[in-house]
């Protein structure tokens, strides 16, 4: 299969209350020559997100803005954008992030993929204006990401620097999504990207990753921890179960998904315990453990992790919002063997 070098990418931006950053995101997408369409879905914002997005229009006719009157979630917003767009390649851009110059061209120069992603630089908002000059030059080192690698990369382990590949923002070929009837699962408001990519991998998608960095993600003190509801964790581990039931997978792949399911369920049980304690008191929380004894290890481990969290040393080169000195942190290590 030949590499795509034409103007054939639709950049999808789902936005809610993103007045402060949406113009930058839109401008970065329109600056890419390969962007044939930029579709912004204002997902029920209560600020001036729509007007801010329009302020970045370059009048090329490529920008489309649709407003939802009520919030429907990122999955519904992205699915709507897919349905009204036509480009054969789809790119997801979060409203507070932006593309670095030349990103789409570098990705489209690669061949033999259904999904392709590059490195992400996590930065503080204050560093956004000149980050393009600070990005290190990494050799692409393209590799295919297996289903097992992908799932394992989404399971955090104590004492190990997390490389959560679910954060990657791949380009996606529309014909693969159409051929396998894959869309974002609209019941999910947490892990919707992980779920879509995993379902694609379960259907045999070729997911290529390069280490060149073309995506800048701004972080705040709570950006990566998330403000999700406890119920969102439950829906995410249930999504793993749906994938296991819907696909015939090799035993190693199925085991990896089961490990991720257990990981997310542990987080849910810990959070549910804390919710009960806060809302109904200690007796209700203890009653939950008596009724669900399998939750005891997860709750115990979660409480211990919470108590030791403050003693963890942040990575010195991390953004200040993550406890570092205000530098860049890359999602993927610069070298294939993980050396910094």
């Amino acid at each position: 299969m030949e590499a795509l070098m034409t103007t054939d990418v639709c950049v999808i931006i789902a936005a809610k209350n993103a007045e402060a950053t949406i113009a930058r995101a839109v401008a970065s997408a329109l600056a890419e020559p390969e962007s044939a369409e930029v579709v912004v879905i204002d997902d029920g914002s209560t600020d001036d997100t729509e007007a801010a997005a329009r302020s970045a229009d370059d009048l090329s006719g490529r920008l489309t803005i649709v407003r939802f009157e009520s919030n429907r979630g990122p999955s519904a917003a992205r699915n709507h954008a897919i349905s009204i767009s036509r480009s054969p390649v789809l790119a997801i851009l979060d409203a507070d992030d932006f593309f670095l110059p030349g990103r789409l061209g570098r990705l489209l120069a690669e061949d033999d993929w259904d999904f392709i992603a590059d490195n992400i630089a996590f930065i503080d908002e204050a560093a956004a204006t000149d980050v393009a000059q600070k990005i290190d030059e990494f050799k692409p080192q393209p590799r295919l990401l297996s289903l097992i690698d992908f799932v394992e990369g989404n399971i955090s382990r104590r004492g190990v620097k997390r490389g959560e590949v679910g954060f990657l923002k791949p380009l996606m070929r529309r014909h693969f999504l159409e051929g396998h009837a894959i869309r974002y699962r609209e019941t999910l408001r947490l892990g919707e990207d992980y779920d879509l990519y995993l379902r694609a991998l379960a259907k045999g998608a070729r997911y290529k990753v390069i280490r060149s960095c073309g995506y800048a993600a701004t972080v705040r003190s709570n950006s990566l921890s998330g403000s999700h509801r406890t119920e969102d964790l439950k829906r995410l581990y249930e999504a793993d179960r749906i994938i296991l039931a819907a696909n015939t997978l090799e035993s190693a792949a199925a085991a990896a998904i089961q490990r991720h399911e257990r990981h997310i369920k542990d987080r849910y049980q810990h959070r549910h315990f804390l919710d009960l304690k806060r809302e109904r008191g200690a007796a209700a929380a203890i009653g939950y453990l008596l009724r669900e004894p399998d939750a005891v290890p997860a709750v115990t481990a979660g409480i211990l992790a919470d108590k030791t969290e403050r003693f963890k040393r942040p990575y010195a080169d991390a953004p200040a919002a993550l406890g570092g000195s205000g530098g860049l942190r890359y999602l993927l290590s610069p070298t294939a063997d993980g050396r910094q």
Side-chain angles (χ1 to χ4, degrees):
M1 183 181 296
E2 295 182 356
L4 285 173
M5 292 299 292
T6 54
T7 306
D8 53 8
V9 179
C10 173
V11 181
I12 295 171
I13 308 174
K16 181 187 177 186
N17 295 338
E19 176 186 359
T21 59
I22 186 67
R24 179 180 63 202
V26 170
S28 76
L30 290 172
E32 296 291 285
E34 299 80 10
S35 295
E37 307 170 87
V38 177
V39 179
V40 175
I41 307 296
D42 182 349
D43 190 16
S45 296
T46 56
D47 65 2
D48 289 329
T49 290
E50 182 179 0
R54 292 193 186 281
S55 73
D57 193 354
D58 65 357
L59 305 182
S60 63
R62 293 177 293 159
L63 178 63
T64 299
I65 301 175
V66 175
R67 175 174 168 76
F68 289 171
E69 290 304 316
S70 59
N71 178 254
R72 293 166 54 185
S75 293
R78 291 171 181 174
N79 283 343
H80 185 71
I82 293 172
S83 73
I84 65 173
S85 63
R86 63 187 183 278
S87 299
V89 177
L90 304 169
I92 301 299
L93 175 59
D94 287 345
D96 50 358
D97 300 341
F98 55 97
F99 291 162
L100 297 169
R103 183 199 186 219
L104 296 183
R106 285 190 294 273
L107 289 170
L108 293 172
E110 297 288 333
D111 58 8
D112 294 324
W113 53 268
D114 301 301
F115 290 64
I116 185 168
D118 55 357
N119 212 341
I120 293 179
F122 294 109
I123 61 170
D124 290 308
E125 180 64 37
T129 54
D130 61 350
V131 69
Q133 288 73 47
K134 298 177 181 178
I135 295 295
D136 294 310
E137 293 278 344
F138 300 146
K139 294 180 179 179
Q141 298 178 278
R143 69 182 182 97
L144 288 175
L145 190 67
S146 71
L147 183 151
I148 294 174
D149 289 340
F150 174 77
V151 175
E152 293 290 350
N154 281 279
I155 301 175
S156 59
R157 292 173 178 81
R158 196 172 302 173
V160 178
K161 186 175 182 179
R162 192 171 186 177
E164 190 165 3
V165 293
F167 280 133
L168 292 174
K169 292 289 190 279
L171 306 188
M172 304 177 284
R173 292 200 193 273
R174 182 188 294 270
H175 74 78
F176 187 92
L177 298 179
E178 299 284 358
H180 295 280
I182 295 174
R183 289 293 185 271
Y184 287 94
R185 200 183 302 277
E186 296 190 12
T187 56
L188 295 179
R189 287 178 177 252
L190 171 70
E192 68 278 354
D193 295 308
Y194 161 85
D195 174 74
L196 184 139
Y197 307 154
L198 179 55
R199 283 186 284 131
L201 286 164
K203 298 298 183 184
R206 297 163 301 167
Y207 191 152
K208 183 174 283 191
V209 176
I210 64 174
R211 293 179 182 273
S212 306
C213 185
Y215 190 103
T218 59
V219 296
R220 298 171 182 83
S221 59
N222 63 349
S223 295
L224 299 182
S225 60
S227 56
H228 53 267
R229 303 169 302 169
T230 302
E231 179 66 19
D232 294 332
L233 288 165
K234 186 173 188 290
R235 291 180 179 179
L236 182 54
Y237 79 72
E238 288 175 343
D240 275 334
R241 292 179 178 177
I242 293 171
I243 292 172
L244 287 167
N247 296 276
T248 302
L249 300 169
E250 294 182 355
S251 59
I257 298 173
Q258 288 167 347
R259 285 192 293 274
H260 183 268
E261 178 207 346
R262 181 70 253 181
H263 171 65
I264 301 300
K265 187 175 181 180
D266 285 351
R267 290 173 56 194
Y268 164 76
Q269 291 172 326
H270 176 220
R271 283 279 298 267
H272 185 54
F273 173 86
L274 295 178
D275 289 348
L276 286 172
K277 184 179 179 182
R278 182 181 66 254
E279 297 167 6
R280 295 167 52 189
I286 293 171
Y288 165 64
L289 296 182
L290 292 175
R291 293 189 305 274
E292 303 287 344
D294 72 313
V296 173
V299 171
T300 302
I303 292 172
L304 178 62
D306 288 347
K307 290 184 179 298
T308 58
E309 181 70 27
R310 65 181 181 272
F311 299 112
K312 292 182 180 179
R313 296 179 61 186
Y315 295 100
D317 60 347
L322 298 179
S325 60
L328 302 175
R329 181 174 77 83
Y330 295 102
L331 180 65
L332 303 176
S333 60
T335 59
D337 61 7
R339 291 193 306 269
Q340 296 295 331

